[in-house]
Amino acid sequence: MRQILFSGVIGLFLSLIGTPLLIKLLARKGYGQFIRDDGPQNHHSKRGTPTMGGIAFILATLVAYVLTKVLTGSEPSFSGVLVLFLFAGMGLVGFLDDYIKIVKQRSLGLRAKAKMAGQLIVGVSFAILALNFADNRNLTPASTRLSFTQDFGWYLGPVIFVIWALFMILAMSNGVNLTDGLDGLATGASVMVFGAYTFICVWEHQESCANELTAGPACYEVRDPLDLAVVAAALMGACFGFLWWNTSPAKIFMGDTGSLALGGALAGLAICSRTELLLAILGGLFVLITMSVVIQVGSFRLTGKRVFKMAPLQHHFELKGWSEVLVVVRFWIIQGMCAILGIGIFYAGWAAAK
């Protein structure tokens, strides 16, 4: 368990001290945030705030993982490395989008087809690799069966699994991206979900079917649960450190660099820990905000009327008169309840099978 403590603390420390250095660098180069004219009026004061801050917690997470392995003398696992590959790969796609948007002064960033192609390459590569690298129990990082708190009977097959994994990756990446509209909102919500996954993966390690003491109907067939907990802890710590600078009034924004990376990491952890459908509950705020956009667009196209004053949902409440901080704190409370509910369902599934 030292690995989990080390990765979380190192990720927190590196992000906490590295983010202000990145702020100075980005500010010196003039890489500031573009603000939409049709958004809430109080957001115009944020124009020019350094963005692409996801670079800070991406690097902090990767370095924290490597240093943890060096300091504890433990070996990296295929599952952990694959989740980090997905995390960094999606971050790279987001970075290219941010770079073109800010440096090249193209307001829409990457062309839609180019952005989608980048996400497809990273997502499909992850999904295919995750079905390989079996251990001595013939377990691969991912499973071709659908999962909730564990794998259950629905066999997807390799092709359908790749499509399903890609859907999860794109959905969570876009969910975090849509949530990243207010200071600290997406970062704080991500901290909670990564904290939940740290607990879940530790529990899966303790109740692993590979352990003769816990082998039984309630045990977990997960390839590298302890290392997934190390990754989740590093992500939680790095996001916590970034939140110090990203909370209101934000000194830096994560940009697509950060939001796509975090969404990829969440999907990767869910797939490799066999909790794919549970992610919709654990990350309930991201789902809620995504659905608000779907409802808004669908309603406008079908009836010509809008359900919300503005989508995503957080901006609706801003336009109703809620202060930004009030929206963020209340949405954090919603996400906290979702994380607790998800952990409770996970535990109930174990208890019911015990």
Side-chain angles (χ1 to χ4, degrees):
M1 299 301 171
R2 285 189 311 153
Q3 294 185 61
I4 297 169
L5 178 62
F6 281 16
S7 65
V9 171
I10 294 171
L12 170 63
F13 177 75
L14 291 177
S15 185
L16 194 60
I17 65 170
T19 302
L21 299 177
L22 180 63
I23 291 172
K24 291 179 181 178
L25 175 63
L26 294 174
R28 188 163 57 244
K29 291 184 174 293
Y31 294 171
Q33 178 69 34
F34 171 79
I35 302 296
R36 290 167 49 186
D37 291 329
D38 60 344
Q41 293 301 307
N42 62 327
H43 285 206
H44 291 288
S45 61
K46 301 180 182 184
R47 183 176 279 113
T49 301
T51 188
M52 295 194 289
I55 295 171
F57 59 73
I58 290 173
L59 292 178
T61 301
L62 298 177
V63 174
Y65 181 80
V66 172
L67 284 180
T68 296
K69 294 303 173 183
V70 172
L71 292 173
T72 61
S74 55
E75 295 184 358
S77 72
F78 284 111
S79 298
V81 170
L82 278 174
V83 172
L84 290 175
F85 161 76
L86 180 59
F87 171 61
M90 294 298 287
L92 178 60
V93 175
F95 171 79
L96 293 174
D97 188 44
D98 284 336
Y99 184 84
I100 293 172
K101 193 182 302 180
I102 297 164
V103 180
K104 300 298 184 182
Q105 296 296 306
R106 187 196 298 167
S107 61
L108 296 178
L110 276 174
R111 305 293 184 192
K113 290 183 179 179
K115 188 174 182 179
M116 180 59 70
Q119 292 176 303
L120 287 174
I121 291 170
V122 174
V124 171
S125 298
F126 165 82
I128 292 173
L129 291 171
L131 291 179
N132 292 280
F133 306 108
D135 63 6
N136 54 10
R137 293 184 296 142
N138 204 35
L139 286 176
T140 54
S143 167
T144 52
R145 294 189 181 278
L146 200 61
S147 62
F148 184 46
T149 59
Q150 295 193 51
D151 285 346
F152 57 87
W154 292 2
Y155 176 73
L156 301 178
V159 175
I160 300 300
F161 166 77
V162 170
I163 296 171
W164 167 241
L166 190 60
F167 168 77
M168 286 188 63
I169 293 165
L170 295 177
M172 286 311 302
S173 295
N174 287 315
V176 178
N177 186 255
L178 291 170
T179 305
D180 182 35
L182 302 181
D183 294 355
L185 178 57
T187 309
S190 297
V191 167
M192 298 179 203
V193 188
F194 289 132
Y197 266 113
T198 302
F199 171 83
I200 286 171
C201 293
V202 168
W203 190 270
E204 289 179 338
H205 171 69
Q206 293 177 337
E207 300 294 329
S208 173
C209 295
N211 186 340
E212 294 181 359
L213 298 176
T214 57
C219 69
Y220 295 94
E221 289 282 13
V222 177
R223 191 191 189 289
D224 305 295
L226 181 59
D227 208 42
L228 291 174
V230 172
V231 171
L235 285 160
M236 178 179 64
C239 286
F240 238 136
F242 182 75
L243 184 60
W244 181 275
W245 305 101
N246 181 235
T247 195
S248 184
K251 304 297 182 186
I252 189 170
F253 301 135
M254 70 169 68
D256 282 7
T257 305
S259 60
L260 296 188
L262 292 179
L266 289 170
L269 285 169
I271 291 167
C272 291
S273 65
R274 312 293 202 267
T275 56
E276 295 160 0
L277 296 179
L278 186 63
L279 179 59
I281 299 172
L282 289 167
L285 180 64
F286 302 126
V287 176
L288 178 65
I289 287 176
T290 302
M291 288 308 299
S292 73
V293 175
V294 173
I295 291 169
Q296 183 85 326
V297 173
S299 175
F300 187 76
R301 288 184 176 177
L302 291 174
T303 67
K305 297 181 180 179
R306 293 180 172 85
V307 177
F308 307 105
K309 289 180 178 294
M310 184 178 179
L313 188 61
Q314 61 269 32
H315 299 316
H316 167 78
F317 288 103
E318 278 193 292
L319 294 178
K320 283 180 68 69
W322 291 18
S323 70
E324 180 175 1
V325 172
L326 182 62
V327 175
V328 170
V329 172
R330 286 181 173 173
F331 275 40
W332 278 350
I333 292 171
I334 292 171
Q335 176 51 54
M337 291 190 293
C338 290
I340 292 170
L341 176 62
I343 290 173
I345 292 173
F346 176 80
Y347 178 79
W350 174 82
K354 190 69 175 172

